[in-house]
Amino acid sequence: MAASSKAPAVEIEVGDHTVRLSSPDRVYFSERGETKRDLVDYYLSVGPGIVNALRERPCMLHRFPKGVDGPKVHQKRLPAGAPPWVETVRLHFPRYGLHADELCVTRLADVIWAVQMSTVEFHPWNSRRADTESPDEWRIDLDPMPECGFDKVRRAAATTHEILDELGAVGWPKTSGGSGLHVYVRIAPDRGFKDVRRGALAFAREVERRLPEDVTTTWWRRDRSPKDLFVDYNQNARDHTIAAAYSVRGNPRGTVSAPLTWDEVADAEPQDFTIATMPERFARLGDLHAGIDDAVFDFSPLLEWADRDERDGEATPPEPDE
């Protein structure tokens, strides 16, 4: 029997640039059989959304050269062979005495080139190239433990929304693409990672106070109940990243970290948002996070909460990498 022939590379016009896509017929998602070309078409379909989520941010790539059932490569440095128009931002990692030039998306062609390099997931920093040490995005990660159902995630999201309203902050929810939910809040880039993490911890403790049966902020995973929901304030630590809005996740179903309206949270089923369903949704609703840059929250009250908690004897856990 003759060996099956591999589909030839194709050239894709993306704005002012041309991306050569090799192995377009390689199956990346085994549940329905979507290919590398299907992944490109997905990102093209949500182009304004993924660029808005990644714009000017250092971005770590999760690459799957053989598809998502194969090995995953966590890539900080820009893969070799990038065309000259792909931009980067240099980061310093003092713990190791190293630098890395990470992808810095400014246009959709950057995203499509990264997919050509087998990228499925995009994990941006919560700071931007202009000042990588000053976050402009506070991230609330509602992270369920293994036996925690999504009903608890929904309750925690409703309480999160309630507290944000009390603070006068606008939260932008999205599914994680897994079993959790993220809420992003835009802040002014005038503080460092440690302050933002302190404030995020103070907020997480307030959620825990209001939902003591459901929510934990316990530092050590081994000390949490498998039925708890952990409000993971550590996602605001330096060099901690989570999947961007509109990022596909590396699982056979091809789930997507999907922006939601607050009204949708009560009934949303994370497994419904995939590369197969999101293009129609995006065409109908547009980018639900499009206004995030216009809703900047003054972070000061959360630092006051952190000061109060510390006066009351609450300890600030060590930084995750310490």
Side-chain angles (χ1 to χ4, degrees), residues 93-127:
F93 298 94
R95 183 180 183 189
Y96 305 103
L98 298 173
H99 291 84
D101 294 315
E102 293 197 9
L103 175 68
C104 188
V105 166
T106 61
R107 60 180 79 81
L108 184 54
D110 302 326
V111 174
I112 302 307
W113 177 81
V115 175
Q116 153 56 19
M117 301 304 293
S118 70
T119 300
V120 172
E121 300 189 18
F122 293 84
H123 287 239
W125 280 40
N126 61 338
S127 61

Side-chain angles (χ1 to χ4, degrees), residues 32-88:
R32 289 180 307 270
E34 288 99 344
T35 64
K36 186 178 183 181
R37 177 60 193 260
D38 292 326
L39 181 61
V40 165
D41 288 342
Y42 162 75
Y43 277 119
L44 290 172
S45 77
V46 298
I50 188 64
V51 172
N52 186 43
L54 300 177
R55 191 187 306 276
E56 294 284 341
R57 299 186 185 282
C59 188
M60 188 172 84
L61 309 176
H62 288 196
R63 298 173 55 229
F64 295 81
K66 302 297 184 183
V68 300
D69 292 333
K72 176 165 64 171
V73 178
H74 293 254
Q75 185 115 21
K76 290 183 184 290
R77 290 176 173 80
L78 189 74
W85 46 264
V86 173
E87 298 183 43
T88 61

Side-chain angles (χ1 to χ4, degrees), residues 120-177:
V120 172
E121 300 189 18
F122 293 84
H123 287 239
W125 280 40
N126 61 338
S127 61
R128 301 198 198 227
R129 176 164 55 178
D131 184 355
T132 58
E133 299 306 311
S134 300
D136 73 336
E137 195 163 78
W138 160 34
R139 296 173 174 177
I140 304 165
D141 180 9
L142 306 179
D143 183 15
M145 298 295 287
E147 297 176 22
C148 173
F150 201 69
D151 56 332
K152 285 188 180 181
V153 179
R154 292 191 183 98
R155 285 199 293 274
T159 298
T160 294
H161 192 196
E162 173 186 280
I163 301 169
L164 290 175
D165 279 351
E166 293 169 9
L167 287 165
V170 179
W172 303 82
K174 66 184 183 72
T175 66
S176 67

